[in-house]
Amino acid sequence: MNDLISFKIKFYFETKFMLRLQTIREMSDSEDDDVPRLSSHALAALQEFYSEQKQQSDPGGDDKYNIGIIEENWQLSQFWYSQETALRLAKEAIAAAGDCGRIACVSAPSVYQKLRELHREDFSIYIFEYDKRFAIYGEEFIFYDYNNPLDLPEKIAAHSFDIVVADPPYLSEECLRKTSDTVKYLTQGKILLCTAQVESSLCEPSLQI
């Protein structure tokens, strides 16, 4: 995983460097002109870059629920689920919540996105996230910091969700314990917890499951 992350970071910065280098060379080649110009290839690459940035900051329509529309931030320990995993978890949550159920996704944005892709109106779904880029989801976005597990807005009542899907962002006992406090506050009883095997022994005392 670390090698993959390093490769992605290296590829990203090398691509930006080559684009800038090409731009400098082309500006130098046209220094006799009154106005420096980019080649059609460099201009197309630049326009594509700006288009991607705009889409990530303000995705619209159905696209905003696509997994990956908001890029992973590894510093926040973000690693999105595959389409298959998100779909399986979403279907499990739907079955557990029942008709017109209420579902909370705690630090599990991929599941929220898949749920909204599958059911637009007939479920009440909230996404509890620290990353404010997910505020594009409007009133369904709840800012959430696991360090303050019960610091939630008044509109989020205790035991008001049929099921809570949670994926603690960090592999630590503290993170699991504090996330568990949030989960127990939100759920009426049903919990779908996604975590590493190394933490499985901590789940029973934390969530009484």
Side-chain angles (χ1 to χ4, degrees), residues 1 9 14 21 23 26 39 55 57 66-67 70 84 96 99 109 126 129 133-134 154 157 167 170 175 188 192 201:
M1 179 63 71
I9 294 173
E14 284 183 351
L21 181 60
T23 301
E26 289 162 353
S39 72
Q55 187 179 36
S57 62
N66 289 344
I67 295 174
I70 296 175
E84 293 78 10
D99 294 338
Y126 284 85
E129 258 295 331
R133 291 180 298 169
F134 289 97
E154 291 184 2
D167 186 350
Y170 297 101
C175 182
Q188 294 178 2
L192 182 54
S201 62

Side-chain angles (χ1 to χ4, degrees), residues 58-81:
D58 186 24
D62 294 345
D63 288 344
K64 71 179 182 178
Y65 295 119
N66 289 344
I67 295 174
I69 195 69
I70 296 175
E71 290 188 347
E72 296 168 333
N73 183 339
W74 300 312
Q75 292 182 338
L76 295 178
S77 189
Q78 292 177 338
F79 301 94
W80 304 152
Y81 297 148

Side-chain angles (χ1 to χ4, degrees), residues 130-144:
Y130 181 81
D131 189 344
K132 292 185 178 180
R133 291 180 298 169
F134 289 97
I136 62 169
Y137 298 128
E139 293 184 356
E140 292 184 341
F141 169 78
I142 306 296
F143 176 74
Y144 171 69

Side-chain angles (χ1 to χ4, degrees), residues 8-198:
K8 288 184 177 180
I9 294 173
K10 181 181 178 183
F11 177 78
Y12 173 75
F13 283 106
E14 284 183 351
T15 302
K16 290 188 69 176
F17 173 76
M18 292 303 295
L19 178 60
R20 290 179 179 177
L21 181 60
Q22 181 181 359
T23 301
I24 292 171
R25 287 175 175 171
E26 289 162 353
M27 291 175 64
S28 177
D29 292 341
S30 60
E31 61 186 2
D32 293 335
D33 299 338
D34 292 334
V35 180
R37 294 187 299 273
L38 294 175
S39 72
S40 59
H41 295 295
L43 184 59
L46 192 60
Q47 289 174 336
E48 182 180 0
F49 173 77
Y50 283 130
S51 177
E52 290 176 353
Q53 293 299 304
K54 182 178 185 299
Q55 187 179 36
Q56 290 168 14
S57 62
D58 186 24
D62 294 345
D63 288 344
K64 71 179 182 178
Y65 295 119
N66 289 344
I67 295 174
I69 195 69
I70 296 175
E71 290 188 347
E72 296 168 333
N73 183 339
W74 300 312
Q75 292 182 338
L76 295 178
S77 189
Q78 292 177 338
F79 301 94
W80 304 152
Y81 297 148
S82 67
Q83 293 286 345
E84 293 78 10
T85 299
L87 179 60
R88 181 173 180 178
L89 293 172
K91 287 183 175 180
E92 290 286 347
I94 290 168
D99 294 338
C100 302
R102 285 171 58 83
I103 303 172
C105 297
V106 179
S107 303
S110 301
V111 179
Y112 168 84
Q113 291 166 326
K114 183 58 67 175
L115 283 165
R116 272 287 164 243
E117 184 181 291
L118 295 173
H119 293 267
R120 296 297 168 84
E121 302 296 338
D122 50 344
F123 279 81
S124 176
I125 310 169
Y126 284 85
I127 174 173
F128 294 75
E129 258 295 331
Y130 181 81
D131 189 344
K132 292 185 178 180
R133 291 180 298 169
F134 289 97
I136 62 169
Y137 298 128
E139 293 184 356
E140 292 184 341
F141 169 78
I142 306 296
F143 176 74
Y144 171 69
D145 182 351
Y146 79 86
N147 289 298
N148 301 296
L150 300 182
D151 186 10
L152 302 170
E154 291 184 2
K155 69 177 183 178
I156 302 300
H159 313 304
S160 58
F161 289 89
D162 295 291
I163 185 171
V164 177
V165 183
D167 186 350
Y170 297 101
L171 298 177
S172 69
E173 182 178 359
E174 178 191 25
C175 182
L176 179 59
R177 176 171 49 80
K178 291 183 176 180
T179 301
S180 298
D181 290 341
T182 306
V183 171
K184 288 186 289 187
Y185 175 83
L186 295 174
T187 188
Q188 294 178 2
K190 296 177 181 178
I191 300 167
L192 182 54
L193 181 68
C194 308
T195 189
Q197 185 174 1
V198 70

